[in-house]
Amino acid sequence: MRWEGLQAERGAGGRYRWQLKAPNGRVVAISPPVYETSAEAERGFAELVAVGPVLVARITHVREGLGWVWVVPGPRGNPLVRSHRAYERYATCQSAFRRFVALLAKQGEGWPTEPGAGR
């Protein structure tokens, strides 16, 4: 499946990460996990799209510098996805997460409601 705004990029270590861009071209979210292939990165993104409506972010203050970031923790506490950048205000960071969830919902339009069904 072709994902609108998704890019899987190879890092310096030879592994892949994905990033999601908004229609205006700005990167909204990135994958903290790394994948062996671009196909694995896309599968990781597909799994995130499937659970998008139930995602909950943890908003935290940046350790070094100013600002706030959002992170969606996985089942073992490792991040599944995070904001691409820090936001100056807490409320702006919350809003950015809501926009990310809306972008995920757009990616999943027309999909069966049962995760994994029909794919």
Side-chain angles (χ1 to χ4, degrees):
M1 168 167 246
R2 185 74 184 135
W3 302 102
E4 186 177 323
L6 180 71
Q7 286 185 305
E9 295 184 344
R10 191 174 209 161
R15 292 182 156 181
Y16 291 83
R17 291 180 187 261
W18 59 258
Q19 62 180 14
L20 182 63
K21 290 185 177 184
N24 66 3
R26 286 190 173 178
V27 177
V28 225
I30 59 172
S31 66
V34 291
Y35 304 91
E36 294 298 322
T37 67
S38 61
E40 285 180 14
E42 288 186 24
R43 275 194 299 279
F45 181 75
E47 291 170 5
L48 193 63
V49 170
V51 296
V54 297
L55 292 177
V56 176
R58 187 179 69 230
I59 297 176
T60 59
H61 196 267
V62 179
R63 288 185 184 148
E64 59 282 330
L66 300 172
W68 300 88
V69 294
W70 58 263
V71 176
V72 175
R76 295 186 178 147
N78 297 333
L80 293 177
V81 60
R82 67 178 179 84
S83 58
H84 177 255
R85 66 180 186 92
Y87 297 89
E88 188 175 314
R89 294 184 175 87
Y90 184 90
T92 308
C93 190
Q94 284 180 312
S95 179
F97 176 70
R98 286 192 295 271
R99 286 191 306 271
F100 166 70
V101 171
L103 274 174
L104 277 186
K106 187 175 180 180
Q107 300 288 335
E109 284 177 0
W111 281 23
T113 54
E114 184 76 22
R119 284 183 245 148

